[in-house]
C-alpha cells in the first residue's frame, strides 16, 4: 500500500499510509481505538478503494484486479460477523471455497479436503454440524478464521481475531498465525495487546489518528518513545525468568490527576 488514504462522507479515515504485508511474516497493526487499524486492513483487502494513493497485490493496483482473483489471493476476517441464517459450521467454512468453484457449484474432493483441514486447524471440527447462529462469540470467531483458511489465500488479514476468545484459544490463534507465516503466508493482524505483538509479530505498523506513525521491526516500533505518546501511558519493561520481555503500562500522572479532579468536582 503506497501513500494510501480514504475519505468517506467528507471525513478522512486514514491518510498517507505506506506499508507492505510480506510472505513468511506476521505484521501487527496497532494503535488506540479509532486510529485507523480496521480501515488499513480493509484497504489492504480491497474491500474499500483508496481515494488517494493505491493498494496493490503483487505490483498490480487492486482496483484493476478482478474481484474473484482478489478473493482467491486475499482473505479478510472481520472482528465479528453477524450470520442470521441457520448455516452449519461446515456450510460457513465451505463458503471459503466459493472463489475457486463458484457460489452454486458442488465442491470437489480437493475442496472438501481444504474444508476439513481448515476445520481442524481452527479447532472447530467438533462443531461442524452445529448452527453458527447458536454458537458463542468466540466459537463463531474461530469459524470465521476457519472459513478464511479454507480459501487457501496467500494473504490473510484479521481484525482483532482474539477479541472474543478466551486465553487458551487466543494463544492458539496467535500460534496458528505464526505457523501460517512459517508456511509462507503473508499475515496482517490488528491487535490491542502489545505483549502479544512482542511475542508473535515480525513487523509492526503503529497507527495514530489516521496516520502511520512508524512501520518496521518489532524492535524498531515497540519503543517507549513511540508507544508512550501514542497511547498516553508510561511503559515499564520486565524480563521474567523465561526471558520473554513483558510490558507493564502505567497511566500518566497528569492524566490520572485530571480524572480524579473531575471526579471530585462532580460530587
Amino acid at each position: 500500500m503506497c501513500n494510501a488514504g480514504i475519505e468517506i462522507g467528507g471525513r478522512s479515515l486514514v491518510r498517507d499510509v505506506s506499508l507492505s504485508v510480506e510472505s513468511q511474516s506476521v505484521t501487527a497493526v496497532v494503535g488506540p481505538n479509532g486510529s485507523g487499524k480496521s480501515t488499513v486492513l480493509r484497504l489492504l483487502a480491497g474491500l474499500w478503494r483508496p481515494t488517494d494513493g493505491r493498494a496493490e497485490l503483487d505490483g498490480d493496483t487492486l482496483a484493476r484486479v478482478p474481484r474473484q482473483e482478489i478473493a482467491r489471493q486475499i482473505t479478510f476476517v472481520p472482528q465479528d460477523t453477524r450470520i442470521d441464517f441457520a448455516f452449519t459450521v461446515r456450510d460457513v467454512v465451505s463458503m471459503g471455497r466459493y472463489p475457486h468453484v463458484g457460489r452454486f457449484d458442488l465442491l470437489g474432493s480437493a475442496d472438501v479436503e481444504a474444508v476439513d483441514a481448515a476445520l481442524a486447524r481452527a479447532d472447530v471440527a467438533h462443531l461442524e454440524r452445529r448452527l453458527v447462529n447458536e454458537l458463542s462469540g468466540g466459537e463463531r470467531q474461530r469459524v470465521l478464521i476457519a472459513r478464511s483458511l479454507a480459501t487457501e489465500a496467500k494473504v490473510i488479514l484479521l481484525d482483532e481475531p482474539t477479541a472474543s476468545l478466551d486465553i487458551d484459544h487466543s494463544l492458539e490463534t496467535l500460534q496458528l498465525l505464526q505457523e501460517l507465516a512459517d508456511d509462507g503466508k503473508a499475515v496482517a493482524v490488528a491487535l490491542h495487546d502489545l505483549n502479544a505483538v512482542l511475542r508473535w509479530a515480525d513487523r509492526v505498523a503503529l497507527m495514530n489518528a489516521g496516520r502511520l506513525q512508524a512501520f518496521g521491526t518489532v524492535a524498531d516500533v515497540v519503543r517507549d518513545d513511540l508507544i508512550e505518546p501514542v497511547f498516553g501511558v508510561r511503559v515499564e519493561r520486565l524480563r521474567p525468568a523465561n526471558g520473554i520481555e513483558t510490558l507493564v503500562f502505567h497511566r500518566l500522572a497528569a492524566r490520572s490527576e485530571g480524572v480524579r479532579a473531575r471526579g471530585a468536582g462532580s460530587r
Side-chain angles (χ1 to χ4, degrees):
M1 190 158 65
C2 183
N3 302 119
I6 185 171
E7 288 188 6
I8 295 179
R11 175 171 168 257
S12 176
L13 301 184
V14 299
R15 292 166 287 174
D16 197 29
V17 175
S18 295
L19 58 86
S20 60
V21 180
E22 312 227 346
S23 61
Q24 295 186 303
S25 71
V26 176
T27 298
V29 184
V30 303
N33 289 339
S35 60
K37 300 187 297 297
S38 297
T39 300
V40 165
L41 290 178
R42 290 179 179 275
L43 290 172
L44 287 169
L47 298 174
W48 289 353
R49 183 174 297 184
T51 51
D52 296 298
R54 63 188 183 277
E56 298 178 339
L57 175 64
D58 294 334
D60 294 327
T61 302
L62 274 179
R64 299 175 183 171
V65 179
R67 287 300 317 170
Q68 188 170 13
E69 182 60 24
I70 293 176
R72 291 192 189 105
Q73 301 293 334
I74 304 174
T75 184
F76 174 69
V77 182
Q79 186 169 344
D80 192 19
T81 296
R82 181 174 176 177
I83 301 175
D84 294 322
F85 298 101
F87 292 114
T88 67
V89 167
R90 174 168 280 276
D91 289 338
V92 172
V93 177
S94 296
M95 293 175 188
R97 300 304 298 169
Y98 287 169
H100 300 275
V101 301
R103 186 174 298 271
F104 302 107
D105 294 336
L106 295 176
L107 300 185
S109 59
D111 302 304
V112 173
E113 288 177 6
V115 170
D116 288 341
L119 287 163
R121 203 158 192 188
D123 192 26
V124 290
H126 63 291
L127 302 173
E128 66 173 329
R129 298 186 184 279
R130 293 273 305 276
L131 298 179
V132 171
N133 55 7
E134 295 177 354
L135 300 180
S136 69
E139 289 171 332
R140 188 167 59 250
Q141 185 68 6
R142 284 155 51 206
V143 171
L144 296 177
I145 291 172
R147 183 179 66 182
S148 76
L149 298 180
T151 67
E152 298 183 309
K154 64 182 182 181
V155 180
I156 303 174
L157 311 173
L158 308 96
D159 190 4
E160 294 287 349
T162 62
S164 57
L165 300 182
D166 58 34
I167 296 172
D168 180 53
H169 282 108
S170 293
L171 293 173
E172 182 181 46
T173 297
L174 293 168
Q175 176 68 46
L176 171 59
L177 299 185
Q178 189 175 67
E179 290 172 359
L180 291 169
D182 291 342
D183 289 346
K185 305 289 188 183
V187 180
V189 53
L191 290 173
H192 270 113
D193 185 352
L194 292 181
N195 281 306
V197 172
L198 285 180
R199 184 173 178 182
W200 303 105
D202 301 298
R203 299 192 302 169
V204 184
L206 176 62
M207 297 293 300
N208 189 34
R211 289 189 177 275
L212 183 66
Q213 299 297 303
F215 176 58
T217 67
V218 174
D220 288 338
V221 178
V222 186
R223 302 190 335 238
D224 297 0
D225 61 319
L226 289 173
I227 297 301
E228 292 185 353
V230 168
F231 288 92
V233 297
R234 180 172 62 82
V235 179
E236 180 181 2
R237 294 175 181 265
L238 306 178
R239 191 173 292 277
N242 62 11
I244 299 176
E245 187 175 55
T246 301
L247 304 181
V248 178
F249 303 101
H250 303 275
R251 300 187 70 194
L252 295 177
R255 180 171 295 188
S256 299
E257 290 170 2
V259 171
R260 286 198 296 272
R262 288 195 297 275
S266 64
R267 291 194 189 110

